[in-house]
Amino acid sequence: MNSPLVDIRDLRVKFSGQRTVHALNGVDIALSPGESLGILGESGSGKSVTLKAMLRLLPPRRTTVAGSIAVDGQDVLAMNADTLADYRGKTVSMIFQEPALALDPVYTLGHQIAESVIRHEGCDRATARQRALDMFERVRIPSPARRLDAYPHEMSGGMRQRAMIALALACRPKVLLADEPTTALDATVQIQILLLLRELQREMGMAMIFVTHDMGVAVEVSDRIAVMYGGRIVESGGVADVIKSPSHPYTRGLLASTVHGAMRGTRLEAIAGAPPSLATAPTGCSFAPRCRLATPACEGAVPPMVGVGPAHVARCIAVAPAAA
Amino acid sequence: MSAPSAAAVAAPESSAQTTPPLLSVRGLVKHFPITGGILGRKVGTVQAVDGVDFDIAKGETLGVVGESGCGKSTTARLVMHLIQPDAGDLRVEGRTIGLNLTLRELRRGVQMVFQDSFASLNPRLTIQDSIAFGPKVYGTPEREALARAHDLLEKVGLDPMSFGRRYPHELSGGQRQRVNIARALALQPKLLLLDEAVSALDKSVEAQVLNLLVDLKAQFDLTYMFISHDLNVVQYMSDRVMVMYLGRVAEIGPVEIIYGGARHPYTRALLSAMPSMDPAKRTMEAPLAGDPPNPIDPPSGCRFHTRCPFAEVVCSTRVPDLLRQPETAQHAVACHMADASSGHSRAGSGT
Ligand SMILES: Nc1ncnc2c1ncn2[C@@H]1O[C@H](COP(=O)(O)OP(=O)(O)OP(=O)(O)O)[C@@H](O)[C@H]1O
Ligand SMILES: Nc1ncnc2c1ncn2[C@@H]1O[C@H](COP(=O)(O)OP(=O)(O)OP(=O)(O)O)[C@@H](O)[C@H]1O
Ligand code: SF4
Ligand code: SF4
Ligand SMILES: [Mg+2]
Ligand SMILES: [Mg+2]
């Protein structure tokens, strides 16, 4: 088997400083070219930290990183400043919930996209400007030529989000990381952006990791889904397998407590309790304090990943492994 | 707004002409001036709420949905009289504020819970003192107010002994939102305005708080106005739903009709923009293109005409009235297609 485009093994991230947070406690991700992975999970489960680690965006002095991250055959954790600058935007790009994080308020959008193209591809300004215009057309910004000369604050929220996507994709990255890019948008604009990302991803043959806490959004954009809890992936598999036959008690609880219209008049099955604090590294299953099936064995050791179906795994000692 | 439109939004009980609705709102208007430059001159106006009519009957939950900036929070703040309306008539159980209902009485009967669980609690007060604060202001003796605070903490699922003396920063978001709900209930209000009250919570915690709201409603005989951008949650919670667009009511009716047989093109677009929960039935086409227009100079006539696939000349020249639908009582729509006399080519065709 070929080595995957993204190959993350046993990634651990610890923040120290005022308080210690064991944010990631052994994350494994393998992603093929063109594949789209949705990461679901509660607030604080480590979704954003996973993406930031892939771009080396975590504060270096307060962060301890262990494990390995390989993207397109390169060892990301070993990169020096120059390699990292080439890698960001060219191999891997990221879009955020808040475009302000990616867009510079003092330059026009056309200028920012052109600069990125020149830096990564060394082409002349006219070619770069043409690329910026192409990108604006592809993300369907109305009157694209005129809007290239606009500043970020002159655009509506949906348009800024499109501009950020144009900037992220201008150098045709192999992997796009998306951290809740539609959470702040209105419903009618959110669906436009989700469909746009799906289409661009297919056209450009790009792999995508899409972080969200919204089940419906994950279903719209993902081939596979990974569910995070307490800094670990607790279940992963094809989107239909995970949504239709969830295995891990947390995934089951998440699905049962996600409200939809058909539940009218019935009581919601809430998961009792609150997520773990992660002040110490979890030595057993981090979901145990909230899990109805928990036994003393669950807290004794970290449960291993168990195959529950074809390419469908769950990290729980109570689930029955699929017959081999 | 004309007389028939007011009748159209009457809540179920009041249509029998017996008791007045718990809350009745007619012709509510709030415009915010936009100032600019160093002189702070007025450069425009946001028509945040522009002629809104609705009723809420005792015991029901009215859900309110619509895109960001359509005036949901402004409507709630006007009902609470946190801001003064420019025009409109607001009655609680038939009594009008300033006429035969004092602000003090209003604030006692109507309470509000906001999205930001942190900003709404005083960081210097323990949570039991925060909850007891309102009753004390209204003359309840200290010890009695504290006893009520403990009772309410228990009701919202927080052990008063282990949580009562904590400060807001020592609680999780879900726990803080429970405290906010307890605080809102401390004055024993009749109507609770919930403005994105569960939006900041994780799904698993959101379900806990929604269950709590359902229980408390039955236990204390409450009435809710439930504002949320989450259409699934609104469908779960509401008896009737009001859909707003740029400061006006587009459609209002029983939850089954809004989610199953909506007539306003905006309502339909909004509902079909909901992400699919079924991997085999992903959304293939976005129901609307473009962004919502700028609220500073809203479109003329029907404010949806710049995005509506059915827009005709009449739509940009005349404001559609919110009219009761002949087929179903309690269902009212503000669209020329739903008004047989509008002159729209699809009027009366049932779309
Ligand atoms: N720079 C940092 N310094 C210290 N702790 C951090 C830092 N960044 C994240 N954390 C902590 O790491 C944990 C994981 O955070 P992360 O941002 O990945 O959560 P998330 O899953 O993205 O949550 P959300 O859904 O709220 O965005 C949290 O406990 C968070 O407080
Ligand atoms: N105090 C204010 N001064 C000026 N404009 C205001 C003020 N309060 C609200 N607005 C404007 O009025 C409009 C309606 O705002 P409102 O907060 O009621 O919207 P909303 O429907 O609650 O939106 P959201 O879903 O984002 O909470 C918006 O355009 C907003 O910017
Ligand atoms: S390992 Fe134990 S505690 Fe963890 S999810 Fe499985 S049954 Fe629950
Ligand atoms: S009045 Fe006209 S523009 Fe407005 S919703 Fe109806 S058809 Fe569309
Ligand atoms: Mg995050
Ligand atoms: Mg609001």
Side-chain angles (χ1 to χ4, degrees), chain A residues 248-249 285 287-288 291 293-294 298 303 316-318:
Chain A
H248 193 281
C285 173
F287 189 58
C291 182
L293 304 177
C298 301
C316 169
I317 61 173

Side-chain angles (χ1 to χ4, degrees), chain B residues 32-34 46 48 66-75 77 196 295:
Chain B
F32 292 107
I34 299 296
V46 179
E67 281 164 316
S68 182
C70 70
K72 305 182 292 296
S73 298
T74 304
T75 302
R77 291 165 69 215
E196 305 279 3

Side-chain angles (χ1 to χ4, degrees), chain B residues 298-340:
Chain B
S300 62
C302 172
R303 290 187 172 177
F304 188 54
H305 84 256
T306 53
R307 299 170 86 198
C308 180
F310 307 106
E312 293 182 2
V313 175
V314 61
C315 300
S316 54
T317 55
R318 249 185 52 210
V319 177
D321 281 333
L322 183 63
L323 292 179
R324 165 187 260 156
Q325 295 304 289
E327 300 85 3
T328 324
Q330 309 311 328
H331 180 206
V333 184
C335 168
H336 289 311
M337 292 194 291
D339 174 4

Side-chain angles (χ1 to χ4, degrees), chain A residues 42-43 156 158-159 186 188 190 192 195 198 216 219-220 222 244 259 261 263-264 266-268 270-271 273 290, chain B residues 67-68 202 204 207-208 211 215 232 235-236 238 255 273 275-279 282-283 285-286 288-291 307:
Chain A
E42 217 134 315
S43 181
S156 68
M159 285 308 147
D186 282 319
T188 61
Q190 163 168 283
Q192 297 176 45
L195 296 184
R198 218 163 72 188
V219 166
E220 289 285 1
S222 317
K244 294 257 160 83
V259 182
M263 294 168 160
R264 255 184 85 70
T266 65
R267 207 170 166 72
L268 299 172
I271 306 176
R290 303 174 77 186
Chain B
E67 281 164 316
S68 182
D202 273 320
S204 67
Q208 295 172 12
N211 281 338
D215 292 347
N232 284 305
Q235 184 178 17
Y236 177 79
S238 311
V255 64
S276 162
M277 300 283 261
D278 183 350
R282 287 181 174 189
T283 308
E285 204 179 338
L288 290 180
D291 290 7
R307 299 170 86 198

